[in-house]
Every structure is written in C-alpha cells, then in structure tokens.
Amino acid sequence: MIPRSRYILINAYHILIDGLFDSVPVLLTFMVLTFNSNEAAVGLIVSIGTAAGTATGLLTLVFSATLGFFGATSLVTALYGIGFLGAAFSGNIFVAGACFTLAIAGHTVFHNIAFSYITLHTERQRLGRIMSDFTAIGDVGRIPLVTLAAFAAAYTIWGHEGWRVVCLAYGAVTLALAAWLFITSSKDGRQKKPEGNRLFPSFSLLRQKDVFLSMLGSVLNACSNDRIFTFLPLLLLAKGIDPKIIGSFALGFTVGSFLGKMACGRLVDAFGSRNVFISAEFLLTGLLVALIWAENIWFIVILALALGIVTKGTVPVIQAIITGPVPNGGAYDDVFSINSLARGITNMGTPLLFGLMASMWGMSMVYAFMALIAAIAAIPVWMMSRP
C-alpha cells in the first residue's frame, strides 16, 4: 500500500511531466511559423525524440534498481528543465528540436517505473481504479500547461516571441522542482532488482498468444491514437483557423482526455477491458472521419473533446489488457517495458511518416489513415481469449 503523502507526490510530478510533454508539439507549431519551416520538420523532431525516449525506456529495470523511483523522477524532471531552457534560446527549428529531444528522453522511463511501482504496491482488486485515477490525474497538468503554452505562444511578450517566454518559464520552474525532489526525497522508492540481475525485459513472454495479441493491439492503438494531438494544430491551420484560438481546441482535447481516463477505467470493471477497447476504437474511427470534413469551429471543439475521451481514455484500458494474460505479478516490469518499447518503435516512425504524408497529400489524408488503423486495432484484441 502506498502512503498517501507519497501517492500525492507521485501524482504531482506526473502532472508536471505530462503537461510539459504535451506542450512540446504546441510550441513546435509556433516555432515552425517563426523559423519558416514545415510539417516534415515537426515530424522528424518528434520521431527523434520518441527514439530517444524508447531507447532509455528499454533500460527501465536499470533505472529502477539503481536510482529508485524518486531518484529517476528527479533526473527525468531535470532533463525537461534543461531542454526547455535550451529551446528558449534556440536560433532554428533543429536546435529547438535537439533541446526538446533531450527534454523528453526520460518520459518513457518515468511512466514505466510509475506503472510498475503502483502495480506492485496496490491490491489487485483496486488496481483498475487506482491506475485509472493515476493516468487521469496526469491530464490535470495538460489542461493549464498546454493551454497556457498555446495561448501565450501566439503573442509577443515583452518584445519576444511568446513561445520563447513559455519555454524559459517552464524550464526554470521545472529545473528548480527537480533539484528540490533530488535533495528532499529518500531512496526507499527503489524497486526490487530484476531476477538474475537482468538489464532488459524478458521477451519470451511474447510466445504466449494473448500477450502477443494484446501487444499488437497496443501497437496499432499507438499508430492511430498517439499522434492525433501532435498534428491537430497543423490540421486546424490547414483549415484556415486563426492560430490565436488553437488553445481552445487544445483545452477541449485535454479536458476530454481527463474525462475519458476517469470513465474508461471504471467501465472496464463493468464491461471488461476487451469490450471497452473495441468500442473505443470504432468510435474513434467515426470521430476522425467527422473531423476531416468538419468546418464549423464549435463543432470541431466538440470533436476535440470527444477525441480526447476515446484516445487517452484507452490508456488505463491498455494497462489492464496487457497485464491480464500475465499470471506472475513479478513480470509486470517486463510487460510494461516491452509495451513501451513496442509503442515507442511505432511512434518513432509515425511522426515522420505523417509529416511526409502531410507535405505530399495534406493533413486530411493523415487523419484518414489514422481512422483506418483505429478500426484495425480492434481485431487482435477481439481475437484474445475471453476471460
């Protein structure tokens, strides 16, 4: 059982880290305008950042055993602070991209360790609700941090581009919080060392049919879900929407994300993770098709809210699906690491792919492709053994 004070601290840094992570694509959108760049540059930067996060995520067991949860969290937070400070003084889109790559390099490590830490210290009968609440609380950070970044970046502040001021402020505060956590936290948040002092997860788990199918569903979900928010500002700009009101759509999406995570985790208890996942994927397909054709501003805001519900709402559902086929609770570290690696590899390619597709055929084609993959993602989960 996790002490209440420690659980609050974990969620506080979860709010900060998730808010900073989702601020990156919004800030990149305005950097593109400043540096006269294009969508392909954004896709390349996000792909490289995802590759860095995936590589470090594969070493989750090492960070867990050597630094402990709070030590690793302070390191991840410090990387965000340094990266955002560097981006504030960047002179071109590629320098800014390198800074953001450093910032998000430890994002996967934090979530892997956090999921494993909570799973190991929570009774199984309460895990679904606790995991749902934990993933939803992270969206609390997205609402103020992402919305503020979207609104402020559109204006000139004290003679400087708004995105520079945002990066400077976020970086300074984050670095200070990283130093505070490092100084004040103890090392009792360490995980148990992996059996046999392994450095990497056991991929032999994929030999089990249901484990493999659950991972395949998770990968397809990543291909259709994870970049909807990344390219949403560019889709809105392509529709001729004023950049100054993009913050409204970011707010709608993040509010929907929070509501979806709170609701879907509880729906799993009532209807099962398979049924909730399959329903969400088919609903997502319909919403993406509607977004492509939508022109009315308020209708798009409503669609952004609904998209947030069905995309981010599947996060706690996926955690339930991938851990369900694993009989041994000690393998949770391995399952979360393999899942993050598989989704990370997917997310390395999709931003670059989507950026190139947008440059050649427009953003509407990108979202049509996402809609198709969302429908396909339901198939492997439907093929899993019924509980």
Side-chain angles (χ1 to χ4, degrees), residues 317-333:
V317 181
I318 290 173
Q319 309 309 322
I321 289 175
I322 65 175
T323 56
V326 181
N328 180 14
Y332 289 146
D333 284 339

Side-chain angles (χ1 to χ4, degrees), residues 184-196:
T184 60
S185 65
S186 62
K187 297 182 180 180
D188 59 358
R190 292 186 180 184
Q191 309 274 26
K192 294 180 180 179
K193 287 192 175 183
E195 297 179 4

Side-chain angles (χ1 to χ4, degrees), residues 2-273:
I2 304 176
R4 184 176 181 83
S5 59
R6 185 174 299 169
Y7 185 69
I8 293 174
L9 183 63
I10 293 172
N11 280 290
Y13 277 83
H14 187 203
I15 289 172
L16 174 66
I17 290 171
D18 276 14
L20 292 172
F21 182 80
D22 274 5
S23 297
V24 170
V26 173
L27 294 170
L28 280 173
T29 299
F30 291 96
M31 290 179 177
V32 165
L33 299 177
T34 299
F35 297 127
N36 195 27
S37 188
N38 54 37
E39 297 91 340
V42 175
L44 177 62
I45 291 169
V46 176
S47 293
I48 294 175
T50 302
T54 301
T56 54
L58 191 58
L59 299 174
T60 295
L61 300 180
V62 177
F63 284 96
S64 176
T66 57
L67 297 177
F69 174 76
F70 294 108
T73 299
S74 63
L75 175 60
V76 170
T77 308
L79 290 177
Y80 267 104
I82 295 171
F84 270 72
L85 284 175
F89 300 99
S90 58
N92 59 66
I93 191 67
F94 296 106
V95 173
C99 293
F100 281 142
T101 298
L102 175 65
I104 66 178
H107 190 78
T108 302
V109 170
F110 169 78
H111 284 82
N112 286 346
I113 294 180
F115 286 142
S116 181
Y117 184 81
I118 292 174
T119 303
L120 290 173
H121 293 85
T122 304
E123 298 85 351
R124 186 68 190 184
Q125 61 270 24
R126 300 178 61 242
L127 182 60
R129 182 187 181 97
I130 295 297
M131 192 68 76
S132 177
D133 291 345
F134 174 73
T135 56
I137 288 172
D139 286 334
V140 174
R142 292 186 174 98
I143 295 174
L145 292 178
V146 177
T147 304
L148 176 61
F151 281 118
Y155 294 90
T156 300
I157 303 176
W158 301 314
H160 301 281
E161 293 95 342
W163 60 262
R164 291 189 187 274
V165 178
V166 171
C167 288
L168 181 63
Y170 283 9
V173 172
T174 301
L175 197 57
L177 291 174
W180 177 85
L181 181 63
F182 178 78
I183 294 171
T184 60
S185 65
S186 62
K187 297 182 180 180
D188 59 358
R190 292 186 180 184
Q191 309 274 26
K192 294 180 180 179
K193 287 192 175 183
E195 297 179 4
N197 293 321
R198 290 185 289 109
L199 298 180
F200 302 105
S202 175
F203 290 91
S204 62
L205 289 170
L206 295 176
R207 296 173 184 172
Q208 302 178 32
K209 174 187 172 183
D210 284 348
V211 173
F212 175 79
L213 289 174
S214 67
M215 293 294 176
L216 179 58
S218 178
V219 168
L220 292 172
N221 173 267
C223 186
S224 61
N225 282 22
D226 288 1
R227 297 307 170 195
I228 290 177
F229 182 78
T230 302
F231 290 95
L232 182 59
L234 295 174
L235 176 66
L236 300 178
L237 290 176
K239 290 178 176 289
I241 294 176
D242 188 346
K244 290 186 172 66
I245 62 174
I246 287 179
S248 300
F249 304 103
L251 177 61
F253 188 89
T254 50
V255 170
S257 299
F258 176 79
L259 295 176
K261 288 179 179 178
M262 291 294 290
C264 289
R266 288 159 173 78
L267 289 174
V268 168
D269 295 335
F271 302 104
S273 57

